[in-house]
Amino acid sequence: MADLKFLLLYTLPILFLSTITRRFVIYFRDRKFIAANGCKPPRTIAPLWDPIFGIDFLVQCLKAAKDGRYIRFSGGRLIKYNYTYVIKRWAFDTIYTAEPENLKHMLATEFNNFKLATIRVNAMVPLFGRGIFTTNGPEWAHARAILRPSFTRQNMAPLLKMMERHFQMLLLQIPTDGSTLDLQKLFFCFTMDTATEFLMGRSTYTLDPSRRTEAERNFVDDYLTCCFEAVRKIVMGNWQMFSYNRNAGAARDRAWAYVDGFVAVADDYDDDDDDNDGAEYNFLEELSAQTTSRTLLRDQVLSVLLASRDTTASLLSSMFYELARHPHTYAKLRQEILSRIAGELPTEDELNNMPYLRWCINETLRLYPVVPGNTREAVCDTTIPLGGGKDGKSPLFVKRGTAVVYNLHALHRRPDIYGTEVDSYKPERWDGLRPGWGFLPFNGGPRICLGQQFGLTEASFVAARMVQSFEALEPRDDEPWAEFYSLVMCSKNGVKIAVTPAKSTVEN
Ligand code: HEM
């Protein structure tokens, strides 16, 4: 009884007072910071029916995601709210932006003031380990430093040879009798096969069942289970800490064990080794010269697999979705490619010197950014340069821990950067266009995509080989574009087309 009296008389009031004092201190500290940095209140605070948890906004997001239009929905809000707005909930604010200056500030100029979103890191680390894609600060810098040499020293010739072997398998899956195929499915298999061979020296052979073993089949299944689980956790946000998925845990253990097998023998690879599967280049072998930590090697391999496989497949799928619907563009692209490399395999130099091909790729990445939405979290009290004040031209205060969400759907459709008809697929708009921080398919600043050149070369190679192999494409799907958005964005309905084979093709 005496204890309760003590609690009521002293402890609770002290707790209450200290909370109030802390709030005051933070409030005045924030005011001082805001004044010193010239920050103004947000130009736009999006209205919420439920200002406590923002349930109404959450329901709208989930409904849009279910209908395959989440990115269009969230990008549309940014366009409506002048490219930067704030959602204020009881416990926290979130800032949304599609302003090039804000992005440059956050991703480059003030890089150290922002980190990857905690929700993403918490969702992915248990499944993919602590690789470049899931870490921040010195741990990320170390990962980037040991991975960079493998990308900068890359001689693409052996990789193009490897891609051609897998492309031959892809060709065998394409019916030439005018029947319908889903090209997206094939592209995702192709990039799984090339990425695994590039990274571990042994392909998963999803396009070549005659060479695929049980181990590869299981690895692909387990890897996909981990990807789905990561997305599920990201969608659950902070509630993910209460979720437990035994199947995903078991899939993770098997996938790690599979990669560990390659890590263990990385030092022993040589060109004549059967285990090396005839691979002309081995990433793990290169990487093992940078570090002896097997865990680190495995985590980096899984991170790069994640970063490379779905991204390139998504770009190729969206590109052929549009090319099948724009026969004139396809004919023009064919003309460029055949005029330079009619009956031969393309080299890296040739691929890098075909302007129309690059315009088609850029236009695809503009309309269908592979990673269309992303988030950074403030690691300290900081600012972004635009979005404050009545005209939105003043800096906006970003409190430590606040998430800043950026959306490429809105950024890539800004009429002030891209002119008219921003929703149409027009590769010609890239003639002389230099959008700078208004075009961010590979991100920017110190965390810019490490595999940009690899991804562009692989996409260009496959596009050129498709164009050499097929005279015309025909869309076989009347559905309007709907997004399937998991770790990357692709078409919910696949890319259903039919092909007309070319009269003459490449002699291998
Ligand atoms: C069309 C193809 C690709 C696109 C559009 C793309 C896009 C991106 C984007 C947007 C990021 C930043 C993600 C973030 O910070 O949240 C990123 C990071 C990364 N990408 Fe790519 N990527 C592509 C292909 C590749 C390929 C083929 C590889 C490897 C072979 C690769 C390796 C990486 C790595 C290692 C990172 C992490 C960089 C870091 O955090 O420092 N990417 N990529």
Side-chain angles (χ1 to χ4, degrees), residues 24-69:
F24 265 111
V25 171
I26 291 173
Y27 175 82
F28 286 110
R29 197 190 58 201
D30 288 355
R31 292 305 98 192
K32 208 170 143 197
F33 184 92
I34 286 167
N37 289 280
C39 299
K40 300 248 170 80
R43 171 183 178 163
T44 312
I45 299 178
L48 274 185
W49 176 81
D50 162 24
I52 312 270
F53 300 110
I55 299 279
D56 50 329
F57 177 60
L58 195 68
V59 169
Q60 284 176 346
C61 291
L62 290 175
K63 187 167 177 338
K66 189 167 161 271
D67 299 342
R69 53 178 188 85

Side-chain angles (χ1 to χ4, degrees), residues 303-359:
S303 254
V304 179
L305 178 59
L306 194 68
S308 63
R309 183 256 177 166
D310 294 14
T311 45
T312 312
S314 154
L315 162 60
L316 279 164
S317 304
S318 307
M319 183 166 163
F320 277 83
Y321 175 90
E322 284 295 344
L323 289 176
R325 281 158 181 79
H326 292 87
H328 291 302
T329 307
Y330 189 69
K332 208 165 154 184
L333 181 61
R334 240 186 141 236
Q335 210 230 329
E336 177 180 83
I337 289 169
L338 296 190
S339 69
R340 289 161 197 231
I341 41 162
E344 298 145 42
L345 291 178
T347 64
E348 188 188 2
D349 268 0
E350 281 155 350
L351 292 171
N352 286 335
N353 283 303
M354 293 203 218
Y356 199 68
L357 174 58
R358 183 51 65 86
W359 293 356

Side-chain angles (χ1 to χ4, degrees), residues 116 120 132-133 140 144 147 151 198 304 307-308 311-312 315 365 370-371 374 376 406 440-443 446-452 454-456 458:
L116 299 181
R120 160 173 157 183
I132 188 169
F133 218 57
W140 160 78
R144 183 131 182 147
L147 281 172
F151 286 95
F198 162 64
V304 179
S308 63
T311 45
T312 312
L315 162 60
L365 289 170
V370 168
V371 185
N374 214 327
R376 291 293 187 259
Y406 52 105
L440 280 190
F442 294 98
N443 222 29
R447 276 199 103 125
I448 194 169
C449 172
L450 255 184
Q452 175 170 353
F454 184 103
L456 286 172
E458 183 169 27

Side-chain angles (χ1 to χ4, degrees), residues 174-179 181 183 466 470 472-474 497-501:
I174 299 184
T176 50
D177 60 355
S179 48
L181 77 134
L183 202 50
M466 288 290 290
F470 303 110
L473 314 172
E474 188 192 320
I497 61 159
V499 299
T500 307

